[in-house]
Amino acid sequence: MNPLRAAYEEVHYPSYPRRASAPDRLAAVATLFGLTPPDLATARVLEIGCSDGGNIIPLALVAPDARFLGVDFAQQAVARGAQRIRELKLTNIELRALDVREFPADAGEFDYIIVHGVFSWVPTDIRAAILALIGRHLAAQGVAFVDYNAQPGSGLRFLFRDAMRFHGERFSGAQQRIDQARSLIKLIVEANPEGSLYRTAAEAVLARLLRTRDAVLFHDDLSEVNEPLYFHDFMASAAAHELQYLAEADLWEMNDAFLPAKTREHLTGLRTLVEREQYLDILRNRSFRQTLLCRAGVKIQRNLDGSTLERLWFSSDAESSPAEESATVRFLTRYASMTTSHQLTQTVIETLRRAHPGRRTAAEICQETQRGDAGADAQVQTEIARILLFGVTSGVVEIHAGPAPYVTEISERPIASPLARHQHERGETLANLDHRPTAIGSESARQVLPLLDGTRTVAEIAAQLGMPAASVLEDLRTLAALALLAPEKQGG
Ligand SMILES: C[S@@+](CC[C@H](N)C(=O)[O-])C[C@H]1O[C@@H](n2cnc3c(N)ncnc32)[C@H](O)[C@@H]1O
């Protein structure tokens, strides 16, 4: 057996929903750049290297009329995913145990192609096969998502990789190698004086290894193949298959506002977007990319003027806190932040924060922020469009190509995501309906979840669990805030 495949058969790599890879995001970014991406409701979606379906199954659940195909050469992982698909009675998705090099030429076109956690982890010939496959099978207005470790930022992370692999060769069995990899880095930390460059680098790697799950450490840090790529090299390979750069899946990653004005000036003379992005990677030591590709001939509206915003939905999970200066507010997400004293900007983001995890259209945001003000005119609409665009490129506002596939109101007979209930029964990490891995913090909400199959009223759930109805309602609000409650048609 191919040694890479043997490694994935030996240590299972559980997969999880990756928000940035969801067709909903891909279509939203494409729309923003003036493309007309295929309708999500009826799209054909392909995931390459889908493992046990942790990313693709939640996508299929919320789009019953779209069709999904996942391929991976690890048979056990595919079998595990296929079993879940059968148990959930999903009929719009298939997982196939297949080497990507044997992908059938007559499989037709796919509107969205996802390659998550794969590209850097396969040898050169497979990388070439993946790009060729995208070049052959991507629909005319389709979008492909490919993530990979990037250079130069992977340098530090990979500094100790050879040492861990050298050390690991003395041990047999995956678990021993994993444990020994952490031990070796600890030894390097202890061997070097505090504050030295080498020790500081080892400490950073050790901190990451201690947070990393064993299977990820095994396949990422100890794997035979883990190739970080320079963006310009990646794009040259993609261009050979008539694919062009659309954008990063997280748009704020393309923003250069974090740079001092003087540094930004140096970037203005660059000829191409690919060059500009490569310099940004070099300037900020970037280590990971989530690149969106489209067909070479497609016309891209690079100058974001907000003219397509009315086709999108918006949400924000930003935290807010008063900034030092008076009347200034700081909005903070996991990766990005925005500080503003502009009143209407604060109102718009606050409106989205209050609605979270709900999504709003630009028109709804106009209505909600101008409540009681009959004079909300075209000028305000333009201003709000500008604010939304600013929010999206700053990373505090997220864009979507469709309404939320979950509910935020509690219905008479509430239904939780059937997938989340299935995962909960098995003690697994839950996928929420917003395509994110999710944990339920409250013990009583965890008890309520299995009963949410749409057959019981709140009073009946309360009676069955011996809880007050008010407490069940509170738990339902907790589950709604985690985007775990499904509209009626998804239940069962
Ligand atoms: C690091 S795992 C990532 C799995 C999943 N996409 C995720 O991110 O959680 C890489 C996956 O690629 C699959 N893979 C590697 N080479 C492959 C090939 N030639 N054909 C099909 N699948 C392959 C492996 O079996 C494995 O499931």
Side-chain angles (χ1 to χ4, degrees):
M1 192 191 292
N2 164 332
L4 188 64
R5 187 180 145 201
Y8 281 107
E9 300 285 11
E10 184 189 1
V11 177
H12 171 53
Y13 194 103
S15 58
Y16 302 97
R18 182 83 179 174
R19 184 72 194 83
S21 76
D24 151 42
R25 168 75 66 80
L26 277 42
V29 174
T31 302
L32 202 60
F33 282 101
L35 275 68
T36 313
D39 186 354
L40 294 174
T42 52
R44 278 194 89 196
V45 180
L46 169 67
E47 180 169 19
I48 299 171
C50 63
S51 187
D52 58 359
N55 191 42
I56 194 170
I57 294 173
L59 295 175
L61 180 80
V62 297
D65 297 325
R67 280 163 302 152
F68 295 80
L69 172 64
V71 297
D72 197 298
F73 68 4
Q75 286 186 352
Q76 292 180 41
V78 166
R80 199 175 281 126
Q83 184 177 346
R84 197 192 296 281
I85 289 167
R86 274 194 305 279
E87 287 173 5
L88 288 170
K89 299 188 173 66
L90 296 176
T91 53
N92 59 340
I93 174 168
E94 181 195 352
L95 302 190
R96 252 185 244 170
L98 189 80
D99 190 309
V100 69
R101 285 167 295 189
E102 285 150 22
F103 192 79
D106 62 358
E109 286 191 340
F110 292 87
D111 300 314
Y112 300 96
I113 300 181
I114 302 168
V115 191
H116 161 49
V118 176
F119 204 75
S120 276
W121 293 264
V122 292
T124 318
D125 62 323
I126 308 289
R127 280 203 289 277
I130 289 173
L131 288 175
L133 189 161
I134 298 174
R136 266 199 320 272
H137 293 278
L138 188 66
Q141 288 279 316
V143 182
F145 169 103
V146 186
D147 61 16
Y148 47 95
N149 289 323
Q151 286 289 40
S154 292
L156 177 63
R157 179 175 166 188
F158 281 41
L159 190 62
F160 300 98
R161 185 176 135 80
D162 292 345
M164 286 191 281
R165 283 172 44 77
F166 171 77
H167 183 56
E169 273 166 25
R170 293 155 190 273
F171 302 93
S172 57
Q175 190 59 49
Q176 256 197 319
R177 289 187 181 171
I178 293 164
D179 296 340
Q180 283 297 327
R182 292 194 182 103
S183 299
L184 177 72
I185 306 299
K186 259 189 213 140
L187 205 64
I188 299 175
V189 169
E190 286 158 13
N192 286 279
E194 239 173 83
S196 68
L197 194 60
Y198 197 43
R199 179 172 172 142
T200 307
E203 281 169 345
V205 169
L206 183 61
R208 182 179 61 74
L209 293 184
L210 291 173
R211 297 195 296 271
T212 302
R213 280 173 290 121
D214 285 356
V216 176
L217 192 157
F218 183 73
H219 289 297
D220 283 8
D221 295 272
L222 301 179
S223 60
E224 184 92 15
V225 189
N226 192 340
E227 184 89 16
L229 304 158
Y230 277 96
F231 176 64
H232 70 101
D233 285 336
F234 173 79
M235 280 316 307
S237 308
H241 297 283
E242 299 192 17
L243 298 166
Q244 66 171 322
Y245 185 52
L246 173 60
E248 286 305 293
D250 282 331
L251 266 184
W252 53 270
E253 300 249 37
M254 302 175 77
N255 197 337
D256 62 7
F258 70 97
L259 291 170
K262 244 181 131 161
T263 316
R264 270 207 306 273
E265 268 171 34
H266 286 277
L267 298 179
T268 50
L270 295 172
R271 281 182 306 121
T272 66
L273 178 60
V274 170
E275 276 183 0
R276 180 184 172 279
E277 285 284 306
Q278 182 59 78
Y279 275 102
L280 283 180
D281 288 4
I282 291 169
L283 290 171
R284 70 181 143 188
N285 198 32
R286 185 166 178 160
S287 61
F288 191 66
R289 272 191 170 266
Q290 305 180 109
T291 295
L292 304 189
L293 300 169
C294 64
R295 292 211 154 277
V298 169
K299 189 172 171 319
I300 300 176
Q301 166 67 39
R302 284 281 166 214
N303 184 16
L304 293 185
D305 59 5
S307 57
T308 55
L309 286 182
E310 82 268 10
R311 283 155 53 195
L312 298 175
W313 279 254
F314 303 85
S315 67
S316 178
D317 66 350
E319 305 267 313
S320 84
S321 61
E324 274 163 28
E325 287 168 54
S326 69
T328 299
V329 177
R330 181 153 193 255
F331 295 104
L332 190 71
T333 66
R334 199 163 155 209
Y335 301 104
S337 73
M338 175 211 280
T339 304
T340 178
S341 58
H342 188 252
Q343 188 57 53
L344 188 56
T345 303
Q346 292 178 4
T347 310
V348 166
I349 314 275
E350 276 304 333
T351 302
L352 288 174
R353 274 169 34 75
R354 270 200 309 278
H356 190 265
R359 302 175 184 177
R360 297 285 185 270
T361 61
E364 286 165 346
I365 296 166
C366 272
Q367 231 170 34
E368 286 182 41
T369 54
Q370 300 301 302
R371 191 166 290 152
D373 177 358
D377 55 13
Q379 206 184 338
V380 178
Q381 282 173 26
T382 312
E383 180 73 353
I384 288 179
R386 195 192 56 75
I387 292 168
L388 287 172
L389 208 49
F390 179 59
V392 170
T393 52
S394 309
V396 299
V397 174
E398 198 176 327
I399 39 173
H400 310 273
Y406 45 87
V407 295
T408 48
E409 304 287 323
I410 317 283
S411 62
E412 201 192 328
R413 292 171 192 274
I415 307 175
S417 155
L419 172 59
R421 281 184 275 136
H422 190 264
Q423 291 167 322
H424 178 75
E425 250 174 56
R426 288 155 186 77
E428 300 167 345
T429 301
L430 310 186
N432 77 0
L433 294 165
D434 194 27
H435 208 59
R436 296 175 208 269
T438 302
I440 305 172
S442 140
E443 174 53 38
S444 66
R446 282 199 291 274
Q447 287 177 29
V448 168
L449 184 80
L451 302 183
L452 303 180
D453 60 3
T455 62
R456 302 170 178 85
T457 62
V458 173
E460 284 163 354
I461 296 167
Q464 190 162 343
L465 292 174
M467 283 183 187
S471 148
V472 171
L473 263 179
E474 187 57 38
D475 290 331
L476 286 165
R477 280 194 282 272
T478 300
L479 298 173
L482 292 171
L484 283 166
L485 296 189
E488 269 166 35
K489 60 181 180 330
Q490 264 178 31

